[in-house]
């Protein structure tokens, strides 16, 4: 396994953990898991989405921001 593969795997593990923690942390303020997945899917295809999981436009870590009902995409995509 190459170092790039290892880093990609670790990134996915981190995002999974952050996603689960976000849902637990935000409780009633959180969107449904379906809405969350839709939002992240949009982010993953966006030109402003960085490899680090941050939005280049607002700087937010999207695995957390996407959980919050009151938050919006700075590009107006969700």
């Amino acid at each position: 396994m190459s170092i790039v593969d290892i880093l990609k795997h670790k990134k996915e593990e981190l995002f999974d953990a952050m996603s689960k923690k976000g849902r637990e942390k935000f409780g009633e303020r959180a969107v449904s898991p379906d809405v969350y997945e839709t939002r992240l899917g949009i982010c993953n295809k966006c030109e402003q989405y960085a490899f680090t999981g941050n939005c280049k436009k607002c700087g937010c870590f999207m695995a957390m921001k996407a959980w919050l009902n009151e938050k919006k995409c700075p590009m107006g995509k969700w």
Side-chain angles (χ1 to χ4, degrees):
M1 183 179 276
S2 74
I3 188 71
V4 172
D5 292 332
I6 292 169
L7 290 174
K8 284 181 183 178
H9 180 71
K10 290 296 180 187
K11 176 185 164 191
E12 288 171 10
E13 286 180 353
L14 174 63
F15 283 7
D16 287 345
M18 292 295 285
S19 296
K20 182 185 241 183
K21 189 67 174 169
R23 178 72 175 153
E24 293 169 2
K25 179 178 180 176
F26 300 126
E28 291 181 16
R29 294 175 52 207
V31 296
S32 71
D34 289 339
V35 170
Y36 175 76
E37 291 296 326
T38 298
R39 286 179 171 191
L40 276 189
I42 292 168
C43 291
N44 281 318
K45 295 175 186 169
C46 182
E47 66 280 356
Q48 296 297 319
Y49 189 69
F51 175 77
T52 58
N54 295 79
C55 174
K56 295 176 189 175
K57 185 81 172 175
C58 67
C60 292
F61 188 64
M62 301 313 290
M64 295 299 279
K65 183 176 183 175
W67 274 118
L68 289 166
N69 188 43
E70 69 271 10
K71 297 297 182 181
K72 305 292 179 215
C73 167
M75 302 293 290
K77 296 182 178 186
W78 50 262

